[in-house]
Amino acid sequence: MPASLYDTYERQFDRGASLLDHPETLLRQIRACNNVYEFNFPVRVDGELRMFTGWRAEHSHHRKPLKGGIRYAEHVDADEVKALAALMTFKCALVNVPFGGSKGAVRVNPYATPVEVLERITRRYTAELLWKNFIGPGVNVPAPDMGTGEREMAWIADTYDGMHVGGLDNFACVTGKPVTQGGIQGRIEATGRGVVYGVREALSHAEDLGRHGLEPGLEGKRIAVQGYGNVGWHAAHILAKEYDARIVAIGEYNGWLENPDGIDLDALEDWRKEKKSLLHFPGAKTHDHPPGMLEVECDVLVPAATQHVITAENAARLRCRMVAEAANGPTTPEAEAILLKNNVLVLPDIYLNAGGVTVSYFEWTKNIGHIRYGRMEKRLEAVKESGILQALEKASGHVLDPEVRELFGRGSDEIDIVRSGLEGTMVDAYREVREFARRSGKKGTDLRTAAFAVAIEKVARAYESLGIFP
Ligand code: GLU
């Protein structure tokens, strides 16, 4: 029997809660998943009706709307959806995104299902949610997760819109939409980019790193990425291209690549386009046993695939100094105990992958504001910046480099604002968690426990302000 993700979540919650001083009744309410809607619906496949099972779990209503992705996967179940909804609550609280936590799923293998069937499933799933008030701009706002992306979000928005004729805020019913359908620049890369900002921030506190056997800075760091989907792909590209880190291993469901000198990601992209697979890329060694990838020697291991991949069985064999949890729930509690004992720094999922929902929040505010970020101020900023540059040139008697002019005299576009908002969010949240861990009184409080404590505290304050709890 595979370990339960909900059980993992409850144990993580309890560790965080144990550092706080709140009545047990309140903590129990915060911990529980408020409701789970499970439903079966028919969709026509090859002329015949086939039944599909879907879920939407709502973990917490302390802020509205509720927020969280929709997962399409063959082996998903209610336990998993509930756990992922709970993680959303604490993820949002931690990065000050004012939403409750939710998650949805459909049991289907999206990679073996024709696109027109996926469209029918998605539209019917949306209608099912709508009939029970489980979707809406002020109620519950889905987003992409494993097995879904912009395309599915566009179908959801269109279905919802068609059922609310004239609704001004209809497109705020879902995030992760294509930019041409009310989406926002930078949402696709957001989770991966947030992972990079989080790892970068963790590696910038030199005094924390010695006991983990890590040196500060990202440059030259050996990174191993498990899962080359949206999150892993962007994290790898940003780490390599913007921070000169070395991607020494990439894991996929059918095997993995290894090159201690660093994998050339552009050449790999060309290879994949041609061969429709990463494997046997000439610029790396191909291994055919996927789990072996986690044991590769590296500085930072980035699990960016699915839950419970680091277990009591393999944790002691990991040869990294940091586990950067880009996926949700990749580490079991037993495995984490082993990693912590071995002084491996674990950056927890509820912090590290919060970049996705952070930019979803920007998208939602854009949708209800009906104006693109930068629309009002871009020109004003550009004029002011140019004025300052001109004054600088006049005063110094030097003509500035065209590159400097290019960088400063143009004002901010939506993508600049989104990235900057994401970066600030990730940096601030790390510092808050780190500060809590240092002050918690208990020596050696790990970052997950601290992150849960910080997040639970924020949810508790929201409940307390309702005056229900003494
Ligand atoms: N599915 C993503 C997550 O697990 C994003 C959720 C969202 O943007 O609402 O955080």
Side-chain angles (χ1 to χ4, degrees), residues 77-98:
D77 59 23
D79 176 281
E80 180 177 330
V81 183
K82 272 169 59 186
L84 293 167
L87 294 179
M88 287 310 303
T89 295
F90 301 102
K91 201 182 292 188
C92 290
L94 188 59
V95 293
N96 297 318
V97 164

Side-chain angles (χ1 to χ4, degrees), residues 306-340:
T306 188
Q307 62 265 18
H308 284 177
V309 294
I310 304 175
T311 65
E313 196 278 313
N314 62 7
R317 294 199 301 275
L318 262 49
R319 287 184 293 160
C320 59
R321 302 314 314 155
M322 180 197 285
V323 170
E325 293 188 343
N328 287 312
T331 313
T332 67
E334 293 78 12
E336 186 167 21
I338 296 169
L339 296 178
L340 295 177

Side-chain angles (χ1 to χ4, degrees), residues 61 173 193 306 339 352 381 457:
H61 295 74
C173 77
R193 182 169 285 282
T306 188
L339 296 178
L352 197 67
E381 269 182 27
E457 183 60 33

Side-chain angles (χ1 to χ4, degrees), residues 51 93 264 268 270:
M51 295 303 291
D264 178 340
L268 178 61
D270 294 340

Side-chain angles (χ1 to χ4, degrees), residues 129-143:
L129 294 184
L130 190 56
W131 294 328
K132 300 284 182 185
N133 211 19
F134 270 79
I135 185 172
V139 181
N140 192 323
V141 180

